[in-house]
Amino acid sequence: MDSLELPKRIFILEEEPFPIKSIAYHKDDSKLFCAVRDALHDDEYEELKESRLGVFLKFKEIDFGWESRLVHYMLCFQLNIKKKYELWSLVGADPVRFSLIEFEQLTGLNCEYIKHLENPRCEVTNEMASFWERIGVYVDAGPSSEQIIRALKRCQEWSRDDRMRLGYLAIFSGFIEGRKYSSATRASLARLVMDLERFENYPWGRVAFKVLMDSLRAKDFTKSYTVDGFIQVLQEARRLAKKDSALAAIRGRSERDRKLAPSQQSPFQGNSTAKLIIPNTKVGHGYDPFALPDKQLTKALMDHVKKDPNWRKSFDRKPKRCLSYWYQVIRTPLAWLMDTHMDAYINVLRLRQRNNPNHFRSERIYFLDHLFSRMWRDKYGEFKSSEPDHNGLGRRLPGGSWDLYAGIVPTFCASNKTWDVDIDEIYASVNFQNDHWIAIWISIPKRHIVV
């Protein structure tokens, strides 16, 4: 089969412009991010981070490493194509596309089409005029990052909604528009923040993609240049083939369904272990462990957590055993998950399996909490040193092993199923040297363990 003839490159081979300096960008201003974190209360910041725009805050928290030259070479290895909002670049001998589809896939942002995307209808009300005045901006303009930072430093006595508006505007200014620190944002889009729900659900992915592509199309790569918008996503697109994506761990589900190859089809985002345990082909037949949280349930949970007397304390000052510390660890990457966090999710799986066994890949699977791995880690020396009989059996087992083997424990959801008789597969979490958690899959019939 003849190879496909590709469009010409924008630069001749081996005559690509050498990067004079690192590519500059206005996005991801550290002062802006810190101001948001300091101004919002803990529950407000968590709500902002768990919103549909929270991917930007999560991205900031992972301390992403910017590799300017990698992106520069990707831009200089472009193919000369006619489509305005697609970028094709050679990676080796293979063409790689960057379009709205790839942008949505990497970020998980809402990229749906709507009319009048950049000029939505938004009435200027007295409430809007008053809020604009409070942040020190003329009503006909959009706030700059500089003005938002100043407002964040004096918003402690403002209403919760107004503080949340500032948080959303910071994301809009610093990440989506990503322009110069002192440059005004577009008022037509910034005004949407007066309706918090509308602002959160707006197709900001399409807006951010257009900002980035318009900026790239206007640059002269033979000189020093500064790019507006969320340019780091280009670096992730380049690395996607190497499976080295920082955004992959924090992206949300795509807004549009895609046609995937049969080997790729799965209703769930996440790791292969979860897909293996719950391999439903129809979303809704089982449940989606990676679905976005229900806002009403999240509010009910936060109302419960706020009853903790230590709720208002900073994370470092909370007692390790208090309720709010436990939930804050599991909701934010501030500390390693504890044994109780792992056991809580294992117990959720146990209860779901008992109530709806058809949701799982088999009824012959069993879930173990951390006590199993701790017990074997502590007692393995005794087991190894004990003498077996002539059949290789009779070694000393840790106390409680029989209860696990017979499915007697835990008592609140005992399965009463015996391993190797009623159970073929076991899933467990293992604490590795108090450094990180790993998942193991034990196949009893195959006598095989997958880590």
Side-chain angles (χ1 to χ4, degrees):
M1 181 178 177
D2 295 334
S3 59
L4 183 66
E5 184 177 352
L6 299 175
K8 293 182 179 180
R9 296 168 38 146
I10 62 173
F11 293 105
I12 299 173
L13 181 63
E14 297 184 356
E15 294 187 11
E16 302 89 358
F18 186 80
I20 300 174
K21 295 181 180 179
S22 174
I23 301 174
Y25 60 96
H26 304 302
K27 192 214 70 62
D28 195 23
D29 186 275
S30 296
K31 292 182 179 179
L32 183 63
F33 175 80
C34 293
V36 171
R37 190 67 189 89
D38 293 341
L40 299 186
H41 297 169
D42 288 345
D43 61 319
E44 295 166 352
Y45 181 78
E46 289 304 314
E47 181 178 332
L48 187 64
K49 192 166 74 170
E50 295 303 322
S51 72
R52 301 180 78 174
L53 296 178
V55 63
F56 293 111
L57 299 182
K58 295 175 183 178
F59 180 83
K60 173 62 181 175
E61 288 180 349
I62 66 173
D63 194 21
F64 176 79
W66 170 237
E67 296 184 16
S68 171
R69 292 195 175 192
L70 186 68
V71 176
H72 175 79
Y73 285 125
M74 182 178 181
L75 296 174
C76 293
F77 278 50
Q78 283 185 73
L79 300 178
N80 190 6
I81 63 173
K82 295 181 179 180
K83 293 185 178 181
K84 184 178 179 181
Y85 291 108
E86 280 192 14
L87 185 154
W88 286 83
S89 179
L90 289 176
V91 178
D94 299 321
V96 173
R97 183 184 71 174
F98 178 75
S99 68
L100 184 64
I101 294 175
E102 286 73 32
F103 185 88
E104 180 185 16
Q105 183 181 5
L106 285 165
T107 63
L109 292 168
N110 182 1
C111 294
E112 291 292 333
Y113 170 80
I114 62 169
K115 292 183 178 180
H116 311 299
L117 175 71
E118 297 179 289
N119 192 27
R121 185 174 181 180
C122 189
E123 182 182 356
V124 178
T125 63
N126 291 334
E127 182 186 13
M128 180 189 297
S130 176
F131 179 71
W132 247 237
E133 184 179 358
R134 294 188 80 177
I135 60 178
V137 181
Y138 291 112
V139 74
D140 293 331
S144 65
S145 294
E146 185 177 23
Q147 291 168 323
I148 293 171
I149 290 175
R150 286 203 296 263
L152 285 166
K153 292 180 179 180
R154 50 183 170 80
C155 71
Q156 290 301 315
E157 302 302 321
W158 295 12
S159 69
R160 187 182 192 279
D161 283 352
D162 281 350
R163 285 195 299 271
M164 292 299 293
R165 288 185 178 108
L166 281 178
Y168 278 121
L169 285 174
I171 291 176
F172 171 62
S173 172
F175 291 93
I176 297 173
E177 293 252 294
R179 299 185 180 180
K180 191 176 178 181
Y181 182 69
S182 57
S183 297
T185 53
R186 286 173 285 181
S188 58
L189 291 169
R191 289 169 181 167
L192 294 172
V193 82
M194 298 310 297
D195 185 338
L196 291 173
E197 183 175 359
R198 183 185 180 191
F199 190 93
E200 180 185 354
N201 293 299
Y202 201 72
W204 291 115
R206 187 174 283 265
V207 175
F209 175 76
K210 190 173 184 300
V211 168
L212 175 60
M213 295 300 287
D214 286 342
S215 179
L216 289 173
R217 292 299 182 193
K219 301 306 174 186
D220 181 354
F221 301 128
T222 64
K223 303 177 181 179
S224 297
Y225 55 98
T226 301
V227 179
D228 297 338
F230 194 41
I231 190 175
Q232 277 79 349
V233 74
L234 274 179
Q235 180 173 322
E236 295 310 303
R238 171 62 179 81
R239 285 182 170 178
L240 191 60
K242 299 181 180 179
K243 298 181 180 180
D244 187 22
S245 173
L247 281 175
I250 59 175
R251 65 175 183 259
R253 288 198 60 163
S254 169
E255 295 299 321
R256 292 196 302 270
D257 294 330
R258 296 185 177 81
K259 295 181 179 180
L260 301 177
S263 62
Q264 296 174 304
Q265 289 176 357
S266 171
F268 304 132
Q269 302 270 1
N271 60 45
S272 57
T273 302
K275 293 178 181 178
L276 187 65
I277 299 173
I278 314 164
N280 304 95
T281 57
K282 294 182 179 179
V283 177
H285 173 65
Y287 68 95
D288 182 355
F290 300 98
L292 294 174
D294 182 280
K295 288 191 175 182
Q296 291 184 344
L297 292 178
T298 301
K299 184 179 184 303
L301 171 63
M302 294 308 299
D303 289 342
H304 173 66
V305 174
K306 289 176 186 177
K307 295 178 181 179
D308 180 6
N310 299 291
W311 164 248
R312 288 294 180 187
K313 292 182 179 179
S314 64
F315 180 78
D316 295 336
R317 296 179 58 194
K318 291 180 188 288
K320 294 293 180 66
R321 295 184 179 274
C322 75
L323 179 66
S324 59
Y325 181 90
W326 194 92
Y327 278 103
Q328 194 164 353
V329 168
I330 204 170
R331 284 170 58 88
T332 57
L334 298 176
W336 288 107
L337 294 179
M338 299 181 289
D339 296 345
T340 51
H341 292 122
M342 306 303 295
D343 290 352
Y345 188 65
I346 291 295
N347 289 334
V348 168
L349 291 174
R350 285 168 166 168
L351 290 171
R352 285 174 172 169
Q353 184 193 26
R354 185 189 66 180
N355 297 333
N356 298 284
N358 59 311
H359 288 178
F360 294 79
R361 70 189 305 262
S362 170
E363 294 185 12
R364 298 176 62 83
I365 64 177
Y366 191 78
F367 298 99
L368 289 172
D369 55 34
H370 86 281
L371 293 175
F372 169 78
S373 59
R374 173 180 288 182
M375 177 175 65
W376 273 101
R377 185 178 66 231
D378 295 343
K379 301 294 183 180
Y380 182 73
E382 296 179 10
F383 169 79
K384 192 71 174 176
S385 61
S386 61
E387 293 294 330
D389 59 21
H390 64 281
N391 292 319
L393 305 175
R395 290 180 182 271
R396 183 186 304 143
L397 295 176
S401 297
W402 173 262
D403 293 341
L404 290 171
Y405 171 77
I408 299 173
V409 292
T411 55
F412 71 90
C413 59
S415 67
N416 295 313
K417 293 182 177 181
T418 305
W419 297 5
D420 205 23
V421 177
D422 308 302
I423 299 297
D424 293 333
E425 299 175 358
I426 298 172
Y427 295 89
S429 57
V430 178
N431 186 330
F432 181 73
Q433 297 181 349
N434 287 324
D435 182 71
H436 65 278
W437 290 94
I438 60 175
I440 61 173
W441 167 34
I442 305 172
S443 173
I444 297 176
K446 296 180 180 180
R447 300 294 191 266
H448 186 65
I449 299 177
V450 176
V451 178

